[in-house]
RNA sequence: GGCCCGUUCGUCUAGUGGUUAGGACUCCAGGUUUUCAUCCUGGCAACAGGAGUUCGAUUCUCCUACGGGCUACCA
């Protein structure tokens, strides 16, 4: 049987890094084994679930390239199914009604000091139950869970996990308003969707035995489980909003590309067994092995993400990068020829860590510098700079073959003839053209900018100082 | 408190009953570069602690410590 996996986010916020990693792991396992990847929206918490979050999560998943194979499943539309299942359990005696109020329970907890439900209504007579029913006393539904034995499962990542059934009380599967709880809906839906493998965060390990008990109550075969270790912030605390930008959307806004993000996320807690690190989605699909995923939580390292992103950029085709840039900045370089934009990308891509970074660094290719870096001016602008630049302008005016190569030859000759060091001449030039002292080869920049622009910028800086 | 899970350089990780404990990111130094970045070379840096098993444990077992998760009529 081909595996069927699902990613089941609850739409209480945007897709965050942890969710993206979970979705990715599900996707990779499914695709590697020729199976299906599905998405189920767990929107039963009416208070916190928002339509906009659903849209945003789906949007992020699609942007990442983690496309799902069948229609979305919404838990909010599956109430009838839950009710039927609840009814089944009630009539088979695998679950029972509990008429104890929250206050009553709280009282018992205080007295016994135990967090476990005592089984107060587990064995009440039909008479007692009917009496409460008649009084319309609100009730919850609890699973009649076994008192002895162990519930065990073999986690694809953690291996065998065993928990004594005495640790599991008759937990609630439906609230007093009749709505089913997470552990219950999860099982019903996974069964209904024919899910074969459940891959989710490590925080669900403790839920798993409870869910297995529910499967057993229905005499269903539980799926195979895999629990992914948590992603931590720098302070070793679970990654959350407190750590700043943790949403997929913000990485997208910062110009990180899906391949880079996915590549990094996959490498958190996993490696292909070789020293290869830079991989696209297809490679991840073929190499991913969930059983090799680390059990230990991993700290999210922005610096490594930056590096991976820059590696992807450096390897990426120029036109492809241009297309990606236009996706986030539709007007970028639109006034120039396509070939000009491609040249800019070509010389800037190895020095950028994201699309946004590239755009920001490439500003002077499209606009005259709006200001000159003060520090660089102080370091560079000497008394004779003006004279030198005037001579340079003169020279440049006479050049017909405006290529990086020719410019290099002529300027080098000029410096040689006058006994000028490279920096003495080129730094003021760079300052005039770029506004600061960093960037790719000046001759390349000059060629791309063109004679007119170069001369006009140099004239401008002379007037400025 | 109880239960479950985890612990190799700062971070992500490889690894074996006997290794100079390997790689990557970061950082530092040098080289390349007119500059910056890239790139290349080199360097710093780790088996949580204690018992036990063993000729020998980072590796196997137990304990402790530390960290995390769950313990809800949240998901």
């Amino acid at each position: 049987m081909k595996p069927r996996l699902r990613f089941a986010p609850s739409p209480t916020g945007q897709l965050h890094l942890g969710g993206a990693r979970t979705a990715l792991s599900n996707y990779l396992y499914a695709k590697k084994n020729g199976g299906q990847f599905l998405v189920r929206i767990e929107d039963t918490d009416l208070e916190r679930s928002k339509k906009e979050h659903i849209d945003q999560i789906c949007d992020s998943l699609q942007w990442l390239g983690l496309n799902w194979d069948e229609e979305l499943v919404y838990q909010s539309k599956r109430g009838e199914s839950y009710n039927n299942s609840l009814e089944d359990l009630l009539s088979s005696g695998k679950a029972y009604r509990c008429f104890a109020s929250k206050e009553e329970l709280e009282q018992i907890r205080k007295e016994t000091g135990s967090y476990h439900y005592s089984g107060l209504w587990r064995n009440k007579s039909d008479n007692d139950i009917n009496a409460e029913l008649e009084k319309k006393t609100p009730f919850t539904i609890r699973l009649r869970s076994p008192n002895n034995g162990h519930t065990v499962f073999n986690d694809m990542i953690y291996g065998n996990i065993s928990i004594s059934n005495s640790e599991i009380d008759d937990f609630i599967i439906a609230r007093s308003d009749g709505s089913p709880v997470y552990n219950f809906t999860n099982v019903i839906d996974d069964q209904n969707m024919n899910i074969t493998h459940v891959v989710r965060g490590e925080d669900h390990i403790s839920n798993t035995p409870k869910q297995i008990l529910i499967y057993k109550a229905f005499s269903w075969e539980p799926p195979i489980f895999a629990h992914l270790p948590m992603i931590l912030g720098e302070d070793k605390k679970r990654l959350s909003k407190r750590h700043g930008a943790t949403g997929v959307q913000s990485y997208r806004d910062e110009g990180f590309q899906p391949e880079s993000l996915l590549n990094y996320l996959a490498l958190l807690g996993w490696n292909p067994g070789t020293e290869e690190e830079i991989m696209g989605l297809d490679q991840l699909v073929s190499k991913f092995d969930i059983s090799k995923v680390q059990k230990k939580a991993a700290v999210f390292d922005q610096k490594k993400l930056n590096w991976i992103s820059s590696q992807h950029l450096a390897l990426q085709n120029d036109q492809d990068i241009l297309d990606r840039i236009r996706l986030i900045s539709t007007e970028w370089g639109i006034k120039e020829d396509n070939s000009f934009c491609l040249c800019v990308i070509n010389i800037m891509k190895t020095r950028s860590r994201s699309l946004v970074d590239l755009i920001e660094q490439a500003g002077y290719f499209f606009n005259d510098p709006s200001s000159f870096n003060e520090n660089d001016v102080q370091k560079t602008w000497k008394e004779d700079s003006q004279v030198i630049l005037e001579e340079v302008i003169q020279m440049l005016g006479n050049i017909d073959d405006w290529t990086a190569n020719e410019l290099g030859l002529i300027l080098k000759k000029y410096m040689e003839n006058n006994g000028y060091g490279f920096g003495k001449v080129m730094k003021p030039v760079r300052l005039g053209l770029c506004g600061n002292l960093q960037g790719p080869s000046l001759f390349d920049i000059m060629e791309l900018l063109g004679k007119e622009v170069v001369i006009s910028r140099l004239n401008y800086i002379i007037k400025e100082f």
Side-chain angles (χ1 to χ4, degrees):
Chain A
M1 188 166 70
K2 294 290 184 196
R4 282 168 64 84
L5 289 85
R6 64 12 180 221
F7 172 56
S10 62
T12 53
Q14 62 167 311
L15 183 66
H16 55 92
L17 261 11
R21 199 268 288 263
T22 302
L24 174 64
S25 301
N26 274 284
Y27 180 90
L28 294 178
Y29 189 90
K31 294 304 161 186
K32 171 157 184 146
N33 297 290
Q36 272 116 28
F37 170 67
L38 315 176
V39 173
R40 178 173 73 229
I41 307 294
E42 309 227 321
D43 54 352
T44 49
D45 185 338
L46 280 346
E47 298 270 307
R48 296 193 296 155
S49 296
K50 295 243 166 60
K51 171 80 165 69
E52 59 187 277
H53 293 140
I54 297 176
D55 293 343
Q56 198 177 25
I57 289 169
C58 291
D59 195 46
S60 288
L61 285 172
Q62 279 165 335
W63 175 75
L64 285 168
L66 304 179
N67 299 308
W68 51 96
D69 295 310
E70 292 173 9
E71 270 185 59
L72 292 176
V73 173
Y74 291 87
Q75 286 198 322
S76 56
K77 295 179 184 165
R78 301 203 7 87
E80 197 183 325
S81 174
Y82 302 140
N83 287 339
N84 291 153
S85 300
L86 243 18
E87 215 37 65
D88 288 348
L89 248 28
L90 240 22
S91 56
S92 69
K94 296 287 171 55
Y96 61 90
R97 297 178 180 82
C98 169
F99 295 90
S101 67
K102 274 187 192 177
E103 295 70 28
E104 200 177 334
L105 258 16
E106 187 58 36
Q107 186 63 31
I108 294 174
R109 263 177 219 148
K110 256 185 209 159
E111 282 167 14
T112 62
S114 166
Y115 293 96
H116 271 60
Y117 175 67
S118 60
L120 193 60
W121 284 85
R122 185 179 166 107
N123 295 311
K124 292 280 187 187
S125 69
D126 287 351
N127 281 348
D128 290 342
I129 292 168
N130 287 333
E132 295 297 333
L133 245 21
E134 252 165 59
K135 279 192 280 179
K136 300 252 193 284
T137 309
F139 60 88
T140 58
I141 299 175
R142 292 179 180 271
L143 190 81
R144 191 185 300 278
S145 53
N147 289 327
N148 36 47
H150 290 259
T151 295
V152 296
F153 64 101
N154 189 246
D155 191 282
M156 287 197 285
I157 293 171
Y158 283 88
N160 272 104
I161 293 179
S162 167
I163 183 161
S164 169
N165 287 336
S166 61
E167 294 295 330
I168 305 172
D169 64 0
D170 288 354
F171 59 94
I172 290 173
I173 55 178
R175 305 180 185 93
S176 47
D177 65 0
S179 65
V181 304
Y182 164 78
N183 278 134
F184 188 77
T185 57
N186 219 259
V187 169
I188 302 303
D189 287 335
D190 284 338
Q191 176 68 20
N192 185 264
M193 293 165 74
N194 294 312
I195 297 302
T196 58
H197 302 252
V198 170
V199 178
R200 74 235 293 201
E202 189 223 274
D203 48 336
H204 288 288
I205 284 186
S206 317
N207 285 324
T208 307
K210 290 183 180 177
Q211 293 176 10
I212 289 175
L213 254 24
I214 296 175
Y215 280 100
K216 286 194 173 158
F218 284 107
S219 299
W220 292 336
E221 182 69 23
I224 294 166
F225 294 95
H227 290 91
L228 269 1
M230 302 277 90
I231 298 179
L232 274 24
E234 261 183 287
D235 56 359
K236 307 276 185 80
K237 300 278 186 221
R238 190 171 166 168
L239 199 62
S240 73
K241 315 98 228 155
R242 288 180 297 107
H243 296 94
T246 57
V248 168
Q249 183 64 42
S250 39
Y251 284 89
R252 181 178 175 179
D253 293 343
E254 284 171 39
F256 287 96
Q257 303 185 79
E259 295 82 355
S260 307
L261 203 50
L262 257 19
N263 190 166
Y264 177 68
L265 253 16
L267 251 20
L268 264 189
W270 173 82
N271 71 287
T274 63
E275 284 177 5
E276 192 177 10
E277 294 201 283
I278 305 303
M279 292 168 278
L281 224 205
D282 290 346
Q283 286 165 291
L284 291 176
V285 167
S286 61
K287 290 172 193 225
F288 188 68
D289 179 356
I290 201 162
S291 70
K292 295 227 177 74
V293 171
Q294 204 84 237
K295 297 181 183 73
K296 182 177 81 160
V299 174
F300 184 84
D301 183 8
Q302 180 65 47
K303 292 213 174 92
K304 182 110 184 192
L305 205 211
N306 289 345
W307 178 76
I308 285 180
S309 175
S310 68
Q311 294 291 309
H312 275 272
L313 227 27
L315 291 169
Q316 208 169 340
N317 159 287
D318 299 337
Q319 180 65 50
D320 190 27
I321 296 176
L322 177 57
D323 295 341
R324 299 295 187 98
I325 288 179
R326 288 276 166 75
L327 248 30
I328 60 173
S329 178
T330 49
E331 298 293 303
W332 190 79
I334 206 84
K335 288 184 204 142
E336 308 287 343
D337 289 344
N338 215 52
S339 60
F340 177 87
C341 294
L342 292 177
C343 285
V344 170
I345 287 170
N346 190 267
I347 61 176
M348 296 307 283
K349 68 179 180 183
T350 54
R351 47 205 313 128
S352 307
R353 62 158 197 248
S354 75
L355 298 174
V356 169
D357 187 36
L358 192 156
I359 291 172
E360 283 171 359
Q361 287 199 65
Y364 50 74
F365 283 104
F366 304 98
N367 298 298
D368 293 342
S370 54
S371 66
F372 299 99
N373 181 292
E374 266 184 56
N375 240 322
D376 291 345
V377 171
Q378 289 214 313
K379 270 193 290 185
T380 308
W381 199 259
K382 302 281 158 50
E383 284 184 11
D384 51 1
S385 293
Q386 174 168 344
V387 179
I388 290 173
L389 282 198
E390 276 165 357
E391 287 174 6
V392 167
I393 290 167
Q394 181 88 37
M395 248 183 326
L396 295 179
N398 295 326
I399 295 178
D400 292 323
D401 181 19
W402 190 266
T403 61
N405 194 34
E406 181 69 10
L407 287 161
L409 287 176
I410 289 175
L411 282 165
K412 276 175 191 160
K413 193 163 199 181
Y414 163 75
M415 289 181 273
E416 232 170 76
N417 290 159
N418 292 281
Y420 292 152
F422 225 113
K424 192 169 183 61
V425 178
M426 298 312 278
K427 281 189 177 174
V429 172
R430 184 181 286 282
L431 194 62
L433 298 183
C434 307
N436 60 46
L437 291 181
Q438 307 156 352
S441 162
L442 253 188
F443 304 128
D444 289 339
I445 295 177
M446 290 168 84
E447 176 183 325
L448 270 174
L449 250 26
K451 192 174 184 174
E452 218 175 296
V453 172
V454 168
I455 290 177
S456 112
R457 286 191 191 176
L458 293 182
N459 274 321
Y460 180 81
I461 193 171
I462 287 176
K463 268 185 256 148
E464 266 306 277
F465 300 109

